[in-house]
Amino acid sequence: MSLKNEIPILTIDGPSGVGKGTIAKIIAQKTKWNLLDSGAIYRIFAFLIDSNNINIKDLPALEKIAKNINIKFVAKKNSDLVDIYLDNNDISSAIRNEKIGILASKIAVIPEIRKYLLIIQKNFIKEPGLVADGRDMGTTVFPNAKFKIFLTATETIRANRRLKQLQKQNIKSIISDVLKGIKERDERDYSRKHSPLKQAQDALIVDTTDLTINEVVAKVMKIIEF
Ligand code: DC
């Protein structure tokens, strides 16, 4: 077995607004494991396509972008999110808005894009461990992960959580728009042909509807025996 296979991986999958990012960040801090926010990678890709006016059918241009992406996640003390750096520039707020989220979910249906981004994601495996959050971490990207969790919560709860997060970032939104965005994204993420949002067969489902962040974290820490 190669060393990479022995590094413990915790995958946290689930739909938009379920709290994957928040939970993954806290677990990564507690365990000192590396963190992969795979949604941010799709968002950065969407942001680059959008800001460079690239046609999503122009595969050579997309591949070129994917090959040159240089991403870093930095955990911030007083925030429940991580800062995201592209080529040493903090682009967190430029990618954490509904426009880029929706574009990310649209480009995520393109198999070539998923293939390019798969390599970037696998490169996050490093000692002493990895916490990876997204939609297909336990099914496609890290199918051999030692620990797999699938988080769920009702649509309304998820929309409210997302709204609070946007408000914290001073991004003006209304609940009906956020709920509509969540429903559209769920529909696309669950139904896409390639690597859809799906619970891995060996993943443990945690319904977070009535749980606090601390309660979810405690459950996850128990699962990974920390
Ligand atoms: O988790 P997020 O909202 O930042 O993700 C944005 C979009 O990226 C999501 O709607 C679908 C896509 N995505 C994906 O297809 N696979 C992943 N592992 C993570 C995100």
Side-chain angles (χ1 to χ4, degrees):
M1 203 196 279
S2 79
L3 184 65
K4 274 204 164 183
N5 286 338
E6 289 163 17
I7 297 175
I9 301 175
L10 163 69
T11 61
I12 305 180
D13 288 306
S16 300
V18 76
K20 301 181 296 285
T22 307
I23 302 299
K25 181 191 161 185
I26 299 172
I27 301 290
Q29 280 180 331
K30 283 185 180 285
T31 54
K32 305 231 166 15
W33 289 3
N34 299 292
L35 179 64
L36 165 61
D37 171 356
S38 62
I41 292 180
Y42 282 87
R43 283 171 185 263
I44 289 173
F45 208 72
F47 169 78
L48 287 171
I49 289 173
D50 186 51
S51 48
N52 292 303
N53 272 322
I54 290 170
N55 183 328
I56 55 172
K57 294 204 173 101
D58 184 353
L59 295 182
L62 297 179
E63 188 170 8
K64 195 170 160 206
I65 289 189
K67 282 196 170 145
N68 292 300
I69 274 183
N70 174 16
I71 304 168
K72 205 168 62 189
F73 298 124
V74 180
K76 241 190 356 193
K77 270 225 163 103
N78 300 322
S79 160
D80 54 358
L81 294 169
V82 286
D83 283 341
I84 295 152
Y85 285 81
L86 175 68
D87 295 330
N88 292 326
N89 298 311
D90 184 350
I91 56 152
S92 317
S93 49
I95 63 163
R96 283 205 182 109
N97 56 64
E98 289 308 280
K99 180 187 161 207
I100 294 295
I102 288 168
L103 184 60
S105 135
K106 284 185 179 161
I107 58 142
V109 305
I110 302 170
E112 287 83 2
I113 291 188
R114 301 203 74 86
K115 196 180 87 191
Y116 305 144
L117 300 188
L118 187 68
I119 304 160
I120 298 177
Q121 294 171 75
K122 282 188 183 288
N123 282 338
F124 273 79
I125 306 181
K126 281 188 195 100
E127 293 279 9
L130 176 68
V131 182
D133 87 75
R135 306 289 190 291
D136 59 346
M137 299 295 99
T139 51
T140 306
V141 184
F142 305 112
N144 298 324
K146 192 166 175 195
F147 309 106
K148 297 184 186 181
I149 285 164
F150 193 85
L151 298 181
T152 62
T154 62
E155 281 171 353
T156 317
I157 286 280
R158 290 190 282 126
N160 276 303
R161 287 178 187 164
R162 180 52 55 91
L163 184 69
K164 272 196 198 140
Q165 216 170 46
L166 292 169
Q167 283 168 343
K168 264 195 197 165
Q169 296 166 254
N170 290 324
I171 299 170
K172 282 204 180 88
S173 309
I174 54 169
I175 187 70
S176 54
D177 284 351
V178 178
L179 186 59
K180 188 165 161 264
I182 290 245
K183 285 183 178 172
E184 277 174 19
R185 212 118 62 86
D186 277 4
E187 168 64 24
R188 226 182 346 256
D189 292 348
Y190 275 112
S191 66
R192 70 171 172 246
K193 199 166 146 215
H194 298 277
S195 209
L197 167 59
K198 202 171 81 185
Q199 171 210 342
Q201 262 184 358
D202 50 350
L204 204 93
I205 297 184
V206 179
D207 183 351
T208 69
T209 305
D210 298 316
L211 298 179
T212 63
I213 292 172
N214 286 344
E215 285 168 337
V216 180
V217 168
K219 262 183 194 276
V220 177
M221 290 300 279
K222 216 167 163 188
I223 291 164
I224 61 174
E225 298 150 6
F226 234 82

